[in-house]
Amino acid sequence: MKPRGWLPLLLQLGLMWPLGALSEPRLRVFVVPHSHMDVGWLHTVQESMQAYVTNVYNSVVEELILERRHRFIAVEQVYFRLWWDGVASDKQKGQVRQLVAEGRLEFVLGGQVMHDKAVTHFDDQILQLTEGHSFLYETFGIRPQFSWQVDPFGASATTPTLFALSGFNAHVISRIDYYLKEAMQINQQLQFVWRGSRSLSAQQEIFTHVLDHFGYCSEGFYWDGEPIFPHPPADGWYPNMQLPVTQKSLQSFVEAMLYNVGERATWFQTPHLLWPWGCDRQFFNASLQFSNMDRVMEEVNKFTYQHGISVQYATLGNYFQAVHAHQLSWKVRDHQDFLPYSSDLLYAWTGFYASRSGLKGLARRASALLYVGESMFTRYVLLAPHWFLDPAWGLQQLQQLRWAVSEVQHHDAITGTHAVKVGDMFVEHLSTRMEGVHKLMASIIQDRSPAHSGPEPGGHFAVVYNPLAWTVTTIITLTVEFPNVSITDESGRPVPAQFQRSKEMPSAYDLHVLTTIPGLSYRHYSIQPSRRPQEDTGEPVTSLASSRQFGLRLRRSGKQVGGSLVPVKNDCYTVFLDKDTNLMHSIWERRSNRTVLVTQSFREYHVKSDVNHGPISDNYVFTPNGRAEMEIVEGPLVTEIRQYFYRQGNEEMRPTFAIYSRLARGPQGSDGELLCHRIEQEYRVGPLETSTKLNTGRALYSDNNGYQMQRRPYRNYKSNTIARNYYPMVQSAFIQSRRSRLVLLSTQAHGVSSQRNGQVEVMLHRRLWNNDKGALGNNLTLNDTSVVHPVLWLLLGSRALTSGLHQRSGLALQHRPVVMLREMNGEVGGPWKQKAVTLPPGVHLQILSIPGWKYSSDHTEHLRTLQKGDKAKADLRCVLLRLQHLYEVDQDQVLSRPVTVNLRSVLRGLGSVVSVEERSLTETWDVSEMYRWTWSMGDPHRHRGNSSRPLPPPGSPEVTIYPKEIRTFFIHFQEH
Ligand SMILES: *[C@@H]1O[C@H](CO)[C@@H](O)[C@H](O)[C@H]1NC(C)=O
Ligand SMILES: *[C@@H]1O[C@H](CO)[C@@H](O)[C@H](O)[C@H]1NC(C)=O
Ligand SMILES: *[C@@H]1O[C@H](CO)[C@@H](O)[C@H](O)[C@H]1NC(C)=O
């Protein structure tokens, strides 16, 4: 045979095997067909289903059945489930079952979506994985073994931990800092074992593969063109369809492929190459795709004996199996994350940490509501003597919110990088399903009658529920229309309360009530207008707070400040406000007897917005006054400092920038510790800058997904330094000197940065104008005119004090008790008994819910049911419980210790426990049977957390939880 034109090329690349027959190819190329299908970006889920997704699954299944060599990996379960439930015929379902069983169709990742990793909370990541995995297990009896996160913008160190706990053998990421990726390519370090946590044992490590700079797209190898929205074209003709492979063009395709393969092969240590075949919205005409690629691959393989390269269709699992079998010793990477992500010198993807702040807030409120709803419903189903509400209906409300919260974790959802109409879709899904859960909660409290008698008609009950498994002392706030009220508890005793004119509605009043609620318990307060003047009653009464006004002040820069200070105090802090500026001046902390200078201001970044002058800021990328008026509202429980800021030239408008700071006074001692040690701040708009006189060396600490903290030293770059020093803050951040630490806790994701020594700034909101045609055409600009109201808590104190309080305070903020009002109907119920559920302080109840999965937790039994074509019934006595140790190994002398919990006695308040089963993170697998691959490593003996802990006997109610562990259980409760 005449030598082909591309043979000299291979010689150049050094890929030619010396002449002579080869028994084995020198390089195996794994062509992995996939379609990246965003769950909302430029188009809604509905539109995407119509325009292409339905055709992806229809045509892929057909092609895979026709040809045994063809493979496909399916990623986003939202789409697969919509197709499975709404489109697939019985015949197609049978075919899919066959393809899955034979390993030709492989589910990777298996979550509802491919979640973002920078601005999502790990509670929500677990939820979205669980929703997808449970469906796969219910339907096919399988669990995904590999993960595929090829588009999210950066990677957090939480990821390896969660994926290892989910049972994955290996995982793939792609978007990391371009400069780092380049170095990893040159040094053949794109593959490594990742230890995401410094406290956890080897069980939580995972083999990680970073895609090379070609990413997940195979430019030049698509034949099906671009989908047309909203409907597929009748004639099947799509824009940008590539010319089919013909005898004439075959050679150029083969050359292109071999050239690409040759270049990439040098970046990896083993003779296996992962070659993702696909891109966004591909394979809606799988027949066209496969028929053309078949020809190219056949041609390449004809000459394997000459060039040593073989190509094959593969699933992700096929590829990793080959790499694993090669038995190399791998480098280990520690718990450093891959944030922030820069795709190029001038493109730091840090703007999205604050884009669509309103949606970010809504997503977390929905998640917190789900947490409460799950816990109230579980209590109700386990404890109510009679069910007045239909549990199936209740479960449905919860399941719908689980879906909506899962969906918004998508990397073009909570990130704020989507088109306007897609954002409207996320908001609509979240709001309607939150309404459903509110209805469920209202029905649950209507079913319960409080224990005290004699409420007079006309008043209200405030029913307060604490979803955390600790006793919580806090202040709840209600808005009422009248100032004279009397508030009494279950036994008719008056409770401490304070009312004041509402900051937002001048005609209404904020009513603050001090409450202490045991874990997973309710309190009931009756609120009635008091007809008598308060002095007559002789009882402790609701007090009206007094108010002091401080007029508009100009900030006098350069002048001596601090001449005249107004102190505002509680038992832990004194906040000093400067009368000359009406701004914060300093904070004194009692325990350390130290005063730290703290100033706060609003700042705005002016961004590049014109494409004619270089790269611009957009939803992804961030490239980079004042007068204040103050009012102090002081009462026995809470003092509120109201600071109003005016933007220049906008005087006549009501303030659009404001900070409301609150200091609370509660009981002394441990009950009131968390309440005392926080300065609550509610804002309008941003960004906000807090400067301190702490010597911090510009090092900032911010969290990964609310799970663990990362140190962020300030880095100088040649360009774009401000943006590249921005980090996500999902739940917390802090700066510290040797003696003091200032912690910020938040209810939603923000961008955070420390640009100067002792300074920390939080990006609260973004609004941009730009003239980029692509962005304008796709409605991707960020002209966000909403007003946002984020809440932050500030904790100040010694490192020891704040590191003990940090995690629990973060959770106290995330899961504040919920207050529900119900009208008094004069009905008197019987005594309503409740037993609290209380965990030790270092352990958090990550979730308590009735999942309602339709599978038996006995794998053999489940497979038998599936084979018979039956579906199991949801078991309402099977409760999902997940516990999390909050502390790192060396974080706190006491709280970092392993904690032993007897689940049977802790959960006694919910009923009697029949059995305890430990499960994988996403619940689908018995942990004792979840065998993951092991990978040999360069330094296997380096000291690790708790690698030698003895395994508890299976089924034992006694569990010992080590620092940072997350443990998942099914608890079976007795019927009553
Ligand atoms: C706190 O510090 C101040 C000055 O630094 C000192 O005068 C005072 O005695 C200290 N108080 C206590 C209780 O140590
Ligand atoms: C952009 O969004 C607005 C509001 O949803 C809509 O009216 C407009 O048609 C959209 N423009 C494009 C180009 O999609
Ligand atoms: C931004 O939005 C506001 C309010 O919707 C509108 O008045 C203004 O024209 C928009 N600006 C740009 C540049 O699109």
Side-chain angles (χ1 to χ4, degrees):
M1 186 184 286
K2 174 162 105 74
R4 310 290 294 205
W6 37 266
L7 286 181
L9 167 84
L10 294 168
L11 277 168
Q12 268 172 31
L13 289 168
L15 283 169
M16 278 291 285
W17 195 250
L19 283 180
L22 280 177
S23 54
E24 283 286 308
R26 200 164 62 125
L27 178 67
R28 287 172 70 193
V29 181
F30 295 79
V31 175
V32 177
H34 77 100
S35 180
H36 183 70
M37 307 195 276
D38 283 311
V39 182
W41 175 40
L42 303 179
H43 303 280
T44 63
V45 167
Q46 269 286 306
E47 289 169 337
S48 305
M49 280 302 290
Q50 256 173 24
Y52 71 97
V53 177
T54 301
N55 286 337
V56 170
Y57 283 112
N58 282 340
S59 71
V60 162
V61 169
E62 191 180 331
E63 277 306 299
L64 264 55
I65 288 293
L66 280 174
E67 171 52 61
R68 286 199 70 82
R69 285 175 306 161
H70 291 165
R71 299 282 182 277
F72 195 75
I73 57 169
V75 188
E76 300 83 3
Q77 290 303 308
V78 164
Y79 285 132
F80 181 79
R81 292 174 80 161
L82 285 172
W83 177 79
W84 182 264
D85 291 335
V87 180
S89 64
D90 284 346
K91 182 172 162 216
Q92 282 172 316
K93 287 186 181 181
Q95 291 173 333
V96 169
R97 287 184 201 283
Q98 181 198 338
L99 293 170
V100 170
E102 293 174 5
R104 292 149 68 190
L105 175 66
E106 184 173 81
F107 293 100
V108 294
L109 184 62
Q112 286 288 89
V113 299
M114 187 184 291
H115 61 253
D116 165 72
K117 291 187 282 193
V119 298
T120 47
H121 195 282
F122 83 102
D123 288 351
D124 301 325
Q125 299 183 356
I126 296 174
L127 173 76
Q128 85 89 10
L129 287 173
T130 299
E131 284 304 301
H133 287 193
S134 301
F135 165 78
L136 289 174
Y137 189 68
E138 252 178 27
T139 314
F140 302 107
I142 55 159
R143 67 176 165 93
Q145 313 260 335
F146 307 95
S147 98
W148 179 260
Q149 279 205 310
V150 295
D151 199 28
F153 325 136
S156 81
T158 311
T159 314
T161 302
L162 294 193
F163 285 1
L165 291 174
S166 305
F168 295 151
N169 290 315
H171 84 123
V172 177
I173 57 175
S174 182
R175 292 185 186 272
I176 62 168
D177 186 89
Y178 75 102
Y179 187 74
L180 178 62
K181 183 178 274 199
E182 208 172 276
M184 289 166 99
Q185 285 180 176
I186 294 169
N187 300 319
Q188 294 192 325
Q189 284 175 351
L190 290 164
Q191 295 169 312
F192 48 87
V193 173
W194 194 359
R195 294 180 169 161
S197 163
R198 62 192 177 89
S199 297
L200 293 172
S201 68
Q203 289 148 309
Q204 285 90 350
E205 299 168 351
I206 198 165
F207 184 80
T208 303
H209 176 110
V210 183
L211 292 184
D212 58 47
H213 77 73
F214 290 101
Y216 62 84
C217 289
S218 48
E219 207 74 38
F221 291 86
Y222 328 120
W223 288 272
D224 51 3
E226 284 168 22
I228 293 180
F229 286 82
H231 295 289
D235 61 2
W237 198 251
Y238 289 88
N240 292 330
M241 284 171 86
Q242 173 118 258
L243 289 179
V245 177
T246 59
Q247 200 52 41
K248 215 168 134 208
S249 64
L250 179 61
Q251 185 165 320
S252 69
F253 279 106
V254 170
E255 264 175 36
M257 186 169 200
L258 286 175
Y259 190 85
N260 178 279
V261 163
E263 187 184 2
R264 296 163 89 166
T266 60
W267 301 329
F268 294 90
Q269 293 182 54
T270 75
H272 310 101
L273 186 65
L274 176 60
W275 208 84
W277 176 36
C279 202
D280 290 31
R281 303 175 296 276
Q282 285 293 316
F283 283 89
F284 50 83
N285 188 340
S287 156
L288 210 50
Q289 286 277 83
F290 278 112
S291 62
N292 284 290
M293 196 63 162
D294 284 350
R295 292 196 65 180
V296 178
M297 287 172 55
E298 275 161 24
E299 184 69 8
V300 170
N301 284 339
K302 264 194 214 160
F303 297 93
T304 297
Y305 74 96
Q306 279 172 307
H307 49 57
I309 295 170
S310 76
V311 290
Q312 68 185 94
Y313 290 118
T315 62
L316 190 58
N318 299 148
Y319 168 72
F320 278 124
Q321 264 148 16
V323 174
H324 184 246
H326 205 72
Q327 296 197 325
L328 274 193
S329 173
W330 299 97
K331 273 236 155 53
V332 177
R333 273 190 84 90
D334 67 7
H335 49 273
Q336 195 54 50
D337 61 4
F338 295 96
L339 291 168
Y341 163 58
S342 289
S343 57
D344 207 336
L345 192 61
L346 296 173
Y347 291 84
W349 296 41
T350 57
F352 80 88
Y353 304 157
S355 298
R356 303 263 174 233
S357 184
L359 179 67
K360 285 179 165 68
L362 180 65
R364 284 285 283 283
R365 285 199 299 282
S367 166
L369 178 72
L370 181 61
Y371 183 78
V372 179
E374 297 279 12
S375 152
M376 281 179 63
F377 180 70
T378 305
R379 272 199 76 105
Y380 176 78
V381 170
L382 292 178
L383 292 174
H386 312 283
W387 290 337
F388 293 103
L389 70 86
D390 176 9
W393 172 81
L395 200 51
Q396 191 189 14
Q397 306 312 305
L398 292 167
Q399 278 166 341
Q400 286 181 352
L401 186 57
R402 289 176 199 166
W403 272 52
V405 174
S406 296
E407 178 187 75
V408 80
Q409 309 308 317
H410 165 54
H411 59 271
D412 282 312
I414 194 162
T415 50
T417 54
H418 45 262
V420 175
K421 66 178 169 195
V422 177
D424 294 344
M425 173 195 77
F426 294 128
V427 170
E428 205 260 333
H429 289 177
L430 286 168
S431 324
T432 53
R433 283 132 199 218
M434 284 170 83
E435 211 170 285
V437 168
H438 276 301
K439 268 192 204 136
L440 169 64
M441 285 162 43
S443 313
I444 289 173
I445 61 163
Q446 286 299 343
D447 254 14
R448 302 221 171 268
S449 296
H452 76 100
S453 56
E456 293 163 43
H460 284 88
F461 279 124
V463 182
V464 188
Y465 181 69
N466 168 21
L468 289 171
W470 299 311
T471 299
V472 166
T473 295
T474 193
I475 288 174
I476 53 168
T477 303
L478 301 159
T479 303
V480 291
E481 279 154 12
F482 36 84
N484 291 335
V485 290
S486 81
I487 302 170
T488 48
D489 67 9
E490 296 85 347
S491 38
R493 278 191 297 264
V495 292
Q498 161 188 333
F499 66 90
Q500 61 198 41
R501 282 213 178 271
S502 166
K503 59 186 173 17
E504 304 274 309
M505 280 184 292
S507 66
Y509 295 85
D510 291 336
L511 179 63
H512 297 300
V513 181
L514 179 67
T515 179
T516 293
I517 322 175
L520 304 192
S521 299
Y522 292 91
R523 295 292 314 256
H524 295 81
Y525 297 104
S526 78
I527 303 167
Q528 291 177 89
S530 64
R531 272 156 299 174
R532 287 162 298 180
Q534 295 186 345
E535 299 81 52
D536 294 357
T537 63
E539 291 174 336
V541 287
T542 318
S543 333
L544 177 62
S546 63
S547 161
R548 282 182 284 163
Q549 309 273 345
F550 300 81
L552 195 64
R553 288 286 185 278
L554 263 180
R555 213 152 118 213
R556 285 172 294 182
S557 54
K559 285 209 176 150
Q560 180 73 28
V561 291
S564 133
L565 300 178
V566 185
V568 172
K569 41 178 123 175
N570 72 358
D571 293 331
C572 298
Y573 298 120
T574 302
V575 174
F576 292 98
L577 298 147
D578 189 329
K579 263 212 264 191
D580 289 342
T581 58
N582 285 338
L583 298 174
M584 194 184 280
H585 171 270
S586 54
I587 302 173
W588 174 76
E589 195 264 320
R590 175 182 298 277
R591 186 105 43 112
S592 60
N593 190 21
R594 275 174 58 81
T595 302
V596 176
L597 295 180
V598 180
T599 58
Q600 294 194 304
S601 62
F602 282 111
R603 259 177 64 174
E604 227 176 316
Y605 276 107
H606 291 277
V607 300
K608 299 182 194 153
S609 57
D610 190 341
V611 281
N612 303 319
H613 297 96
I616 58 170
S617 281
D618 55 26
N619 310 41
Y620 302 91
V621 180
F622 158 58
T623 43
N625 64 10
R627 287 162 168 229
E629 188 182 338
M630 182 169 69
E631 181 184 5
I632 296 177
V633 182
E634 192 154 12
L637 290 179
V638 181
T639 301
E640 186 169 271
I641 306 158
R642 300 171 176 178
Q643 292 161 296
Y644 300 110
F645 299 78
Y646 291 87
R647 294 172 65 162
Q648 227 90 42
N650 224 358
E651 315 256 323
E652 72 288 353
M653 283 174 64
R654 280 308 294 160
T656 49
F657 288 71
I659 306 179
Y660 307 105
S661 307
R662 296 176 199 109
L663 274 180
R665 274 168 226 95
Q668 305 273 343
S670 64
D671 266 6
E673 193 187 23
L674 294 186
L675 178 61
C676 181
H677 277 107
R678 64 183 179 233
I679 301 167
E680 176 169 281
Q681 297 205 307
E682 186 185 330
Y683 303 88
R684 284 194 181 200
V685 209
L688 166 90
E689 175 182 289
T690 296
S691 296
T692 65
K693 278 280 153 60
L694 295 178
N695 184 11
T696 64
R698 282 201 282 195
L700 169 76
Y701 294 75
S702 73
D703 65 334
N704 265 176
N705 315 112
Y707 178 68
Q708 67 188 40
M709 301 304 290
Q710 303 286 342
R711 186 167 188 273
R712 316 290 195 185
Y714 184 84
R715 293 206 166 86
N716 273 306
Y717 295 98
K718 281 203 203 87
S719 60
N720 219 9
T721 298
I722 294 179
R724 294 181 77 180
N725 277 291
Y726 250 88
Y727 294 93
M729 166 167 107
V730 175
Q731 187 163 33
S732 63
F734 64 78
I735 53 173
Q736 63 183 12
S737 67
R738 217 159 36 82
R739 289 159 73 186
S740 298
R741 181 182 287 179
L742 175 71
V743 183
L744 307 177
L745 299 170
S746 71
T747 48
Q748 63 165 89
H750 300 289
V752 67
S753 186
S754 176
Q755 302 275 349
R756 295 195 313 276
N757 190 20
Q759 180 256 14
V760 57
E761 62 185 49
V762 180
M763 192 176 286
L764 299 170
H765 204 6
R766 296 184 85 211
R767 181 177 175 187
L768 302 172
W769 170 91
N770 75 48
N771 60 352
D772 177 79
K773 270 210 192 105
L776 289 171
N778 286 310
N779 253 340
L780 266 181
T781 60
L782 197 61
N783 183 13
D784 183 350
T785 54
S786 60
V787 175
V788 292
H789 299 260
V791 173
L792 295 183
W793 284 0
L794 270 52
L795 275 57
L796 179 71
S798 67
R799 288 185 184 194
L801 172 75
T802 48
S803 74
L805 298 175
H806 179 159
Q807 267 81 359
R808 282 179 299 146
S809 293
L811 287 161
L813 176 59
Q814 184 181 353
H815 298 302
R816 284 169 287 189
V818 285
V819 184
M820 296 156 282
L821 286 181
R822 56 169 280 209
E823 298 219 349
M824 285 181 181
N825 47 18
E827 215 174 80
V828 181
W832 183 66
K833 286 208 185 75
Q834 54 179 356
K835 275 191 231 145
V837 174
T838 310
L839 285 167
V843 176
H844 163 52
L845 179 76
Q846 195 270 342
I847 190 160
L848 178 80
S849 88
I850 292 177
W853 306 130
K854 298 188 178 68
Y855 59 72
S856 159
S857 56
D858 178 332
H859 188 57
T860 323
E861 190 183 314
H862 177 54
L863 291 186
R864 215 179 299 132
T865 314
L866 276 180
Q867 252 154 26
K868 279 193 276 176
D870 294 348
K871 210 164 188 191
K873 268 186 26 198
D875 176 3
L876 295 181
R877 315 291 308 172
C878 172
V879 168
L880 160 69
L881 172 82
R882 204 177 283 117
L883 299 178
Q884 180 204 349
H885 195 301
L886 290 173
Y887 292 83
E888 299 278 1
V889 267
D890 49 6
Q891 194 177 346
D892 188 274
Q893 278 195 338
V894 178
L895 295 166
S896 287
R897 293 186 191 144
V899 181
T900 300
V901 181
N902 186 314
L903 295 176
R904 188 166 288 155
S905 52
V906 162
L907 300 174
R908 197 178 296 133
L910 298 177
S912 97
V913 172
V914 179
S915 66
V916 172
E917 286 178 273
E918 180 153 16
R919 309 289 292 180
S920 62
L921 184 73
T922 57
E923 304 153 38
T924 52
W925 225 259
D926 178 342
V927 277
S928 63
E929 286 169 16
M930 195 176 68
Y931 308 108
R932 293 173 62 231
W933 297 354
T934 52
W935 300 78
S936 50
M937 275 166 271
D939 58 345
H941 301 302
R942 204 174 68 173
H943 177 71
R944 306 296 339 273
N946 314 288
S947 42
S948 60
R949 78 187 157 87
L951 278 175
S956 159
E958 195 135 294
V959 292
T960 301
I961 305 174
Y962 288 80
K964 278 326 236 189
E965 273 193 335
I966 305 169
R967 306 273 294 270
T968 304
F969 303 93
F970 276 156
I971 313 283
H972 299 270
F973 282 90
Q974 196 158 44
E975 299 276 346
H976 59 195

